[in-house]
Amino acid sequence: MVEGFPEHLCAMAMVCLLDFEAYAEKYLPKIAWDFFAAGADECSTRDENILAYKRIRFRPRMLRDVSMLDTRTKILGTEISFPVGIAPTGFHQLAWPDGEKSTARAAKAMGTCYIASTYSTCSLEEIAAAAPGGFRWFQLYIHRNRAVSRQLVQQAEALGFQGLVLTADLPYTGKRRNDVRNGFRLPPHMKLKNLEGAFEGDDRSEYGLPPNSLDPSVTWDDIYWLRSLTHLPIVIKGILTKEDAELAVRHGVQGIIVSNHGGRQLDGAPATIDALVEVVEAVRDRVEVYLDGGIRKGSDVLKALALGAKCVFIGRPALWGLAYKGEEGLQDVLRILRDEFRLSMALAGCASISEIGQDLVQFSKL
């Protein structure tokens, strides 16, 4: 029995990410679990994000000296200890009382990047103060009230965030059936700290905000607007096609996150690992390409890197780690992924990230 933790925390051996998922489903309030787990409509894209990895097979190489393994890489010039960061997700206090402060601390402790969401339940100042010197990017939703978005971008830069991530796939919120059934609302003691006082009236029925507060008129030209507000590198999140990848490069972004919003937006969109291939081909190394969605094992990370991702980001598994034991639980999740990734690298014959290439994988006819 570990001092200070309830007995059920110690009884379970947390061996893989699915153990944290099972814990979170069992112990989180139903409304919180349903919110984190939700996909759009029938959840086919959410589920396909995971299933698509099973159709990719390795072509492992033997007798390659793997006595010394190096998992370090760089994203936009900053070194991370292994190629897994924390994707932007909202409402971390639904998983753990300290919310995003715990997330920031865990990311710093594990030497990786944390993308803080516009929809955080801790303010950007609180997040920055929780883990001084941590490597963080800020994820932006553009609201109809542009002054709010401008202020957030400038505040993030002033607080030392090192990148700006524009989410492109949410002109409107996807239909998540369980949230509708549950009448999802943030508990009264939780606030969207970055947006307090930004909107008139008392209606906060749409994920903590007034209905229709997001700006659905955003276009590629708004990247120029963002560029005028900040010196931070701009990464665009939510790209799934070669056409949009080409437009992203043409509009001067520094990075692309191949993402379908965890299957929470357009059901029937491709799995991200499937979309990655055409995006990487279109980009031709002109900007860095990352991926989120469906990462559940270290071998998934290896497959994504083999297909051209520079780094992957995890969304739901980070929340499961928080739900288990806050900062410590999230560190456990990251540590398990790191160790599984190292082992997969070694067993596939790669001693360093630079040795991972497309010849390491093949698509099977499942």
Side-chain angles (χ1 to χ4, degrees), residues 1-11:
M1 177 66 190
V2 180
E3 196 59 45
F5 282 114
E7 206 147 350
H8 59 252
L9 287 187
C10 309

Side-chain angles (χ1 to χ4, degrees), residues 76-103:
L76 297 186
T78 299
E79 186 173 280
I80 52 177
S81 65
F82 66 118
V84 178
I86 298 170
T89 52
F91 311 156
H92 289 194
Q93 282 183 356
L94 284 177
W96 187 257
D98 258 358
E100 290 81 3
K101 291 185 279 190
S102 294
T103 314

Side-chain angles (χ1 to χ4, degrees), residues 239-251:
I239 302 303
L240 294 167
T241 61
K242 61 185 184 222
E243 294 88 346
D244 280 346
E246 182 59 52
L247 282 164
V249 174
R250 214 181 298 159
H251 284 81

Side-chain angles (χ1 to χ4, degrees), residues 21 23 39 45 71 88 91 114 116 129 142 166 181 188 238 272 303 337:
E21 179 179 26
Y23 178 92
T45 294
T71 62
F91 311 156
Y114 161 40
I142 295 180
L166 174 66
R181 290 188 182 107
T272 50
K303 288 172 182 178
L337 265 183

Side-chain angles (χ1 to χ4, degrees), residues 158-209:
L159 286 167
F161 285 74
Q162 287 168 257
L164 178 65
V165 178
L166 174 66
T167 296
D169 60 6
L170 207 134
Y172 302 96
T173 305
K175 183 178 178 183
R176 304 159 196 174
R177 294 176 183 177
N178 282 343
D179 288 346
V180 178
R181 290 188 182 107
N182 293 335
F184 178 84
R185 296 277 194 286
L186 271 185
H189 64 282
M190 276 180 218
K191 299 277 182 287
L192 290 181
K193 285 285 190 67
N194 295 316
L195 299 169
E196 273 193 296
F199 300 99
E200 306 287 313
D202 297 324
D203 185 349
R204 295 290 180 269
S205 59
E206 197 171 284
Y207 297 103
L209 291 179

Side-chain angles (χ1 to χ4, degrees), residues 169 238-245 256-261 266 269-272 274-276 278-279:
D169 60 6
I239 302 303
L240 294 167
T241 61
K242 61 185 184 222
E243 294 88 346
D244 280 346
I256 290 171
I257 303 179
V258 175
S259 175
N260 54 35
H261 217 101
L266 178 64
T272 50
D274 290 340
L276 177 67
E278 77 170 73
V279 170

Side-chain angles (χ1 to χ4, degrees), residues 4 8 11 16-17 29 34 40 47 69 114 131 134 188 190 197 213 221 225 252 280 302 323-324 353 357:
H8 59 252
C16 64
L17 267 56
D34 283 351
D47 297 343
L69 296 168
Y114 161 40
M190 276 180 218
S213 44
D221 286 342
W225 174 67
V280 166
L302 184 57
Y324 177 61
I353 302 287

